[in-house]
Amino acid sequence: MFKDEVTILDDVLTPEECQELIRFYEACSIPISQGYNYVFKTVVSRHDRLPYNDYIKNILTKILEPIDENFLVQRVQIERRSPETEHVAHFDARAGDFGSFTTVLYLNDTYEGGNTYIEAAEYTSVQPKQGKMVGFNGHDLRHGVSHIQKDYRYTMSVWYVLKPADYPKSALWWK
């Protein structure tokens, strides 16, 4: 999964779980960070790799079920992108020597535009659908978000690194 391919999985989360994450984002006291042209709340930082609370831990446990066990969560953020924004094509920053893999989980689909596009061997444009998750190698595959015309786009982005062979299983909080 994720080597040079784009993986799309439907119904990773239920509509109720997605709505609860949006409510969590809106009510949460985590400081809002400013991205390129969007705001986000980091719910797992790359420094301690611990989830913000048990609710986030439970959601991530569910999201990680289809993910290769050789990956470690590096960072997780819930994002809200405004109408009239886009995220220009880019590569994710390299995470040490272990590369970078990315999943984007769509929490709503009430907006217009806002497709995730990935410039792989075959150009891929992912139509957002609540509960759908797209995964790809964000370090090697150029990707972005198309122009959002109406309403807010909510997603949960997760960045992973390849687990070193000698990494102790006891250090994995989600297992």
Side-chain angles (χ1 to χ4, degrees), residues 63-80:
I63 291 170
L64 291 169
E65 285 175 12
I67 304 299
D68 188 310
E69 67 181 23
N70 292 317
F71 292 117
L72 292 172
V73 170
Q74 179 195 34
R75 186 177 82 226
V76 181
Q77 65 190 38
I78 300 174
E79 305 168 357
R80 180 184 69 200

Side-chain angles (χ1 to χ4, degrees), residues 103-155:
T103 57
V104 177
L105 181 74
Y106 302 100
L107 302 181
N108 70 328
D109 54 15
T110 57
Y111 50 93
E112 293 178 14
N115 288 18
T116 301
Y117 60 90
I118 301 132
E119 298 172 357
E122 291 187 29
Y123 180 86
T124 302
S125 179
V126 181
Q127 177 68 39
K129 179 183 171 212
Q130 188 176 49
K132 179 188 283 188
M133 185 169 73
V134 58
F136 54 94
N137 183 328
H139 171 71
D140 291 338
L141 299 176
R142 191 171 150 97
H143 59 281
V145 177
S146 67
H147 183 86
I148 300 167
Q149 287 110 25
K150 182 179 112 179
D151 208 356
Y152 287 100
R153 176 187 190 259
Y154 289 89
T155 57

Side-chain angles (χ1 to χ4, degrees), residues 13-166:
L13 292 182
T14 66
E16 294 77 22
E17 290 168 323
C18 292
Q19 286 302 312
E20 186 59 32
L21 282 168
I22 293 171
R23 283 192 290 278
F24 171 83
Y25 175 93
E26 296 297 341
C28 186
S29 61
I30 297 174
I32 294 177
S33 301
Q34 196 68 34
Y36 291 86
N37 57 7
Y38 62 95
V39 294
F40 61 89
K41 295 183 180 182
T42 301
V43 294
V44 174
S45 85
R46 69 176 143 231
H47 304 293
D48 58 20
R49 292 196 176 115
L50 295 174
Y52 179 73
N53 61 23
D54 286 341
Y55 175 69
I56 295 297
K57 180 179 177 179
N58 291 337
I59 290 293
L60 286 172
T61 298
K62 188 171 183 179
I63 291 170
L64 291 169
E65 285 175 12
I67 304 299
D68 188 310
E69 67 181 23
N70 292 317
F71 292 117
L72 292 172
V73 170
Q74 179 195 34
R75 186 177 82 226
V76 181
Q77 65 190 38
I78 300 174
E79 305 168 357
R80 180 184 69 200
R81 294 179 190 266
S82 305
E84 304 302 321
T85 63
E86 62 187 321
H87 194 161
V88 297
H90 64 282
F91 296 99
D92 292 340
R94 179 181 287 277
D97 294 329
F98 303 111
S100 175
F101 299 88
T102 305
T103 57
V104 177
L105 181 74
Y106 302 100
L107 302 181
N108 70 328
D109 54 15
T110 57
Y111 50 93
E112 293 178 14
N115 288 18
T116 301
Y117 60 90
I118 301 132
E119 298 172 357
E122 291 187 29
Y123 180 86
T124 302
S125 179
V126 181
Q127 177 68 39
K129 179 183 171 212
Q130 188 176 49
K132 179 188 283 188
M133 185 169 73
V134 58
F136 54 94
N137 183 328
H139 171 71
D140 291 338
L141 299 176
R142 191 171 150 97
H143 59 281
V145 177
S146 67
H147 183 86
I148 300 167
Q149 287 110 25
K150 182 179 112 179
D151 208 356
Y152 287 100
R153 176 187 190 259
Y154 289 89
T155 57
M156 177 180 264
S157 297
V158 183
W159 291 269
Y160 308 84
V161 292
L162 193 58
K163 178 175 68 175
D166 60 350

